[in-house]
Amino acid sequence: MLRRSKFDTTQSQIMHRAEDLIGAASNRYRITVQVAHRAKRRRYEDFDSGEDMLMKPVLRAIIEMSDELTQPEIIGEL
């Protein structure tokens, strides 16, 4: 039996976003490590906040990073 996701993002959209990230990167290994580090950081942030984790950290990291790639205006100046 297949589980239904509570999110609008489907597996094909996730794959498309991941392909976009890899395609835009100059180094496939580096982008993979960046996604893994962001997912790990988000996992611990979510764990510390006590919120229910509805989306896996790796999927959330891929979505966030692809949004940053396609919509640079959402990134604030530090």
Side-chain angles (χ1 to χ4, degrees):
M1 185 171 173
L2 295 174
R3 282 181 31 186
R4 273 281 201 217
S5 176
K6 295 180 181 180
F7 302 99
D8 295 335
T9 308
T10 63
Q11 286 182 339
S12 62
Q13 290 172 335
I14 296 290
M15 292 299 295
H16 181 69
R17 287 174 178 248
E19 289 173 3
D20 289 344
L21 276 176
I22 291 172
S26 60
N27 186 335
R28 292 171 70 175
Y29 174 77
R30 178 170 280 166
I31 196 69
T32 303
V33 170
Q34 288 175 347
V35 168
H37 283 290
R38 181 175 290 203
K40 187 175 183 180
R41 185 175 59 237
R42 293 286 301 197
R43 179 177 163 227
Y44 287 116
E45 288 173 0
D46 290 346
F47 183 74
D48 289 340
S49 69
E51 293 179 11
D52 184 27
M53 293 190 331
L54 300 175
M55 183 183 287
K56 293 189 178 196
V58 172
L59 298 178
R60 184 178 296 157
I62 290 171
I63 290 170
E64 288 175 356
M65 291 178 77
S66 67
D67 285 344
E68 291 170 4
L69 179 70
T70 59
Q71 301 171 1
E73 66 273 3
I74 65 173
I75 302 173
E77 293 292 326
L78 298 176

